[in-house]
Amino acid sequence: MKRYILNNRWMLVLIFLIAFILAACNISLSFAMGKFTDAAVGLKKEQLILYGLLSIISLILIFIIEKTDIFIRNKCIEKCIVSLKEDIYKSILASDDELEDSSYYTNIIVNGLNTLRTDYYGNIFLSIGFILKIVLGAMALIYLNFYLFIVISAISFLPMVINPILKKNVGSKKIRYVEASKEQLQINTELFEKIDTIKMNNIKQIFQDKVIYSERKLEKSKFENDYNDGGIASLTKFLGMTSQIMCMLVAAFFVVNEKLTIGGMITSTQLLNYIFPSINLFNSRIIIIRAMENLKQEIEKILNYSVDKSVKEFENGDIIFEKFSVCFGEKILFKEADFLIKKGEKVAVIGKSGKGKSTLVKTLMGINRHFTGDIKINKVSLRDIKKCSLYDNIAYAPQKPVIFKASLEDNIFLFNEVDMEKLDAIIHRVNLNHLRGRMLNDADHLSLGEASRVAVARALVRDSKVLIFDEPSASLDPLTSKLIEELILEIKDKTVINITHNWDEEYLSKFDKIIKLE
């Protein structure tokens, strides 16, 4: 996570310079207040006016610089988070693994990064200012009275001893809060995605109880997290105030013993007001920053997801399944099966439900990589072919296609440049003219048949070497089903794999080969 800060090193330098100037202005104010106090005690009007004006100028500068400091810090945080999000999205999209738990990634991006924004990056940049305030304040105190500085340093050691004790407790509270956020997001996503099924099966109360339980758990963990943060802030404030009063008593003792003027006591008090809150805030911020370790590790896992390590490009040719098996727990599909699909063949894949028809083509598409045996395309193992090259050359129309919130044209050409002549022809062929000009929201706003035909059109407009159709006519009326079946059979000079539930002998005879999964 630190690399995103270092990538904005010039802004980091600017934050340091602004914090340095701000600290210097506050110290100048402390000395000016001490000086005009001594001037008042000594009845020196000119010095009183001079140091009074210096105090007012310091206050104005502090106001202007603080606003600049807030702007620069937030701008730097923005750049860090934007860069981090870019890398997260790149890593997820480049990952060679299936992303099974979408709520996990959503929780990290929505809740995790917001927590990182405030509790990690925000506190790191604030801590720069605190460190400069403490260091420059301490130097000013040494200049004022070295012995006073020694005593104050010994007293201020107490909060630093307690700091490590608090760290572990804060970290555990942060972890529980992130986990509760993830659980709540999962149950809410399931509720809203499946609300019609929940209502129709009269299990509303079950899901209501689950949602309320997850919300209560989230709010409880949030309460514990916020209460813990507040408790630490209160404790560090108490310790700081205690130390500060003790230091003021020491300063008063120095005045009584004529080791310090009254103005010097005012200056030392102002410096203490400046140093101690900075020490307290720095301590509490460090605790919170270190408590981010687990969240940072989760984000690093996403950033370091395995990318496609395959090196070979797709070359069209025969597709061979050798001793091919897929295991789902104790269930084994195919059991070392051998299939041959020659280049340019039209192949129908048939079989009863649960025999692995969709699994077969998903494995060929590289979606499922958990298989034994091998799949070779033009004598090259599927495991060695780059996924991006595979996807460029194989078009896949799944049973349940994803419909984007976009026009029919963009859903078919997938946001690439639209060839209007090709588009008009394909929309007419798949009988989707009634959707022209409409904004499609998702598959729920289309019939299963319409969504299936969008997927077929999407596959047909691509210049792919291999076309895979997963039961494209399953949800269609007889007339439209026949239209799609004929359209697939008319495809030329491409390898076509069609999973079909149509076992009609006349229809199957039109394919070059039939693979029946037993």
Side-chain angles (χ1 to χ4, degrees):
M1 300 297 107
K2 290 179 182 176
R3 61 182 177 273
Y4 296 99
I5 298 174
L6 297 175
N7 288 341
N8 295 287
R9 57 178 61 88
W10 289 113
M11 292 193 79
L12 192 62
V13 169
L14 193 56
I15 288 171
F16 181 88
L17 288 174
I18 291 170
F20 182 87
I21 295 168
L22 188 59
C25 287
N26 275 282
I27 290 168
S28 296
L29 176 61
S30 299
F31 275 97
M33 290 174 69
K35 291 292 184 181
F36 76 62
T37 300
D38 280 339
V41 172
L43 303 176
K44 298 175 181 177
K45 293 181 181 179
E46 290 181 0
Q47 289 187 13
L48 179 64
I49 293 169
L50 175 64
Y51 288 113
L53 285 172
L54 183 60
S55 298
I56 293 169
I57 292 168
S58 296
L59 279 171
I60 293 169
L61 286 173
I62 288 167
F63 172 74
I64 294 169
I65 296 167
E66 277 184 344
K67 288 195 71 174
T68 307
D69 179 52
I70 292 167
F71 176 82
I72 296 296
R73 276 192 287 107
N74 283 288
K75 182 57 69 174
C76 198
I77 291 169
E78 175 195 327
K79 288 183 174 293
C80 289
I81 291 295
V82 168
S83 297
L84 177 55
K85 283 184 175 180
E86 285 179 3
D87 287 348
I88 285 174
Y89 287 122
K90 285 177 184 176
S91 181
I92 289 172
L93 290 170
S95 173
D96 194 33
D97 299 324
E98 283 191 74
L99 307 180
E100 296 176 354
D101 188 358
S102 60
S103 62
Y104 167 76
Y105 305 99
T106 304
N107 182 55
I108 288 291
I109 292 169
V110 175
N111 297 319
L113 292 189
N114 280 336
T115 303
L116 200 75
R117 178 197 300 273
T118 55
D119 289 1
Y120 183 72
Y121 289 116
N123 285 331
I124 282 178
F125 296 134
L126 280 171
S127 296
I128 292 171
F130 296 146
I131 291 169
L132 285 170
K133 290 174 185 178
I134 294 165
V135 171
L136 294 181
M139 290 172 65
L141 208 51
I142 291 171
Y143 172 79
L144 185 67
N145 190 299
F146 178 75
Y147 296 105
L148 182 62
F149 168 75
I150 295 296
V151 175
I152 287 173
S153 297
I155 294 171
S156 63
F157 185 71
L158 179 62
M160 297 180 185
V161 174
I162 295 175
N163 177 31
I165 301 171
L166 301 174
K167 174 190 167 185
K168 186 176 180 180
N169 190 41
V170 175
S172 63
K173 293 287 191 294
K174 295 285 180 189
I175 295 167
R176 281 201 288 271
Y177 176 54
V178 171
E179 288 297 319
S181 297
K182 175 184 172 182
E183 185 179 322
Q184 185 265 351
L185 185 62
Q186 286 175 327
I187 186 64
N188 270 277
T189 301
E190 187 175 33
L191 172 67
F192 292 118
E193 284 183 351
K194 302 170 183 176
I195 192 164
D196 291 335
T197 304
I198 291 168
K199 288 179 178 179
M200 284 188 288
N201 288 279
N202 200 24
I203 52 175
K204 292 181 289 185
Q205 189 62 48
I206 294 172
F207 269 81
Q208 181 177 307
D209 292 343
K210 287 173 71 175
V211 169
I212 291 172
Y213 174 77
S214 68
E215 291 288 356
R216 284 176 177 169
K217 187 175 179 181
L218 174 63
E219 291 302 323
K220 182 181 178 182
S221 64
K222 189 176 188 307
F223 165 79
E224 290 176 349
N225 179 65
D226 293 345
Y227 179 74
N228 202 57
D229 285 351
I232 289 168
S234 295
L235 179 59
T236 52
K237 181 180 178 182
F238 168 76
L239 293 171
M241 288 295 293
T242 302
S243 300
Q244 189 171 351
I245 290 170
M246 291 172 66
C247 291
M248 288 174 67
L249 288 170
V250 171
F253 180 80
F254 273 67
V255 171
V256 170
N257 287 276
E258 298 182 349
K259 301 291 185 182
L260 198 67
T261 66
I262 294 174
M265 180 179 175
I266 297 295
T267 299
S268 66
T269 301
Q270 283 301 116
L271 289 173
L272 291 174
N273 286 334
Y274 194 54
I275 294 170
F276 273 105
S278 297
I279 292 173
N280 297 334
L281 290 169
F282 178 73
N283 281 336
S284 61
R285 294 301 188 273
I286 289 297
I287 292 169
I288 294 171
I289 288 169
R290 288 176 176 172
M292 289 291 98
E293 198 58 40
N294 286 284
L295 179 58
K296 284 163 57 185
Q297 287 175 7
E298 289 298 312
I299 294 172
E300 286 290 352
K301 284 180 188 176
I302 298 176
L303 291 171
N304 296 320
Y305 272 160
S306 60
V307 295
D308 194 351
K309 297 180 179 66
S310 305
V311 294
K312 295 186 178 179
E313 299 291 336
F314 177 97
E315 291 183 9
N316 197 20
D318 296 347
I319 300 170
I320 303 171
F321 292 78
E322 295 179 346
K323 295 184 177 180
F324 175 68
S325 299
V326 178
C327 297
F328 294 102
E330 295 182 357
K331 184 178 181 181
I332 301 175
L333 296 175
F334 311 113
K335 294 181 181 178
E336 298 191 348
D338 294 314
F339 305 118
L340 170 62
I341 300 172
K342 292 184 178 179
K343 176 183 174 182
E345 277 190 331
K346 290 186 180 67
V347 177
V349 179
I350 61 173
K352 293 180 180 179
S353 178
K355 293 299 179 181
K357 300 186 294 296
S358 295
T359 300
L360 182 76
V361 294
K362 283 181 179 179
T363 306
L364 178 58
M365 277 296 296
I367 298 170
N368 169 43
R369 291 214 165 187
H370 305 291
F371 64 92
T372 57
D374 203 0
I375 302 173
K376 292 181 179 177
I377 303 175
N378 197 31
K379 299 180 181 179
V380 177
S381 174
L382 181 71
R383 294 183 176 93
D384 296 329
I385 300 173
K386 292 179 183 176
K387 264 197 170 183
C388 58
S389 181
L390 191 71
Y391 294 155
D392 281 341
N393 290 279
I394 301 180
Y396 174 47
Q399 260 185 319
K400 296 179 180 179
V402 172
I403 303 298
F404 295 96
K405 187 176 182 180
S407 65
L408 175 66
E409 292 81 1
D410 280 339
N411 264 287
I412 291 175
F413 276 85
L414 293 175
F415 308 99
N416 290 302
E417 186 176 346
V418 177
D419 182 331
M420 292 307 297
E421 186 176 342
K422 186 184 285 188
L423 177 72
D424 291 337
I426 197 65
I427 287 177
H428 176 73
R429 293 300 304 276
V430 298
N431 195 19
L432 286 175
N433 282 300
H434 62 288
L435 295 181
R436 292 295 294 265
R438 276 179 55 182
M439 180 67 69
L440 310 183
N441 289 317
D442 51 50
D444 291 337
H445 290 78
L446 301 178
S447 68
L448 292 174
E450 287 171 333
S452 179
R453 279 176 281 160
V454 169
V456 170
R458 191 181 284 168
L460 291 174
V461 296
R462 290 180 55 188
D463 187 26
S464 301
K465 305 293 190 300
V466 180
L467 300 178
I468 300 174
F469 300 94
D470 191 348
E471 300 200 20
S473 57
S475 304
L476 304 179
D477 60 83
L479 287 175
T480 310
S481 178
K482 187 175 181 181
L483 181 151
I484 297 298
E485 288 173 351
E486 289 176 352
L487 189 59
I488 291 171
L489 287 169
E490 288 172 7
I491 297 170
K492 295 180 180 179
D493 303 322
K494 296 180 186 294
T495 303
V496 177
I497 301 172
N498 183 34
I499 296 176
T500 179
H501 64 286
N502 185 353
W503 292 24
D504 180 71
E505 289 185 9
E506 183 182 351
Y507 171 65
L508 293 177
S509 67
K510 296 176 182 178
F511 287 88
D512 300 308
K513 183 176 292 179
I514 300 168
I515 295 176
K516 187 174 182 179
L517 302 181
E518 302 289 350

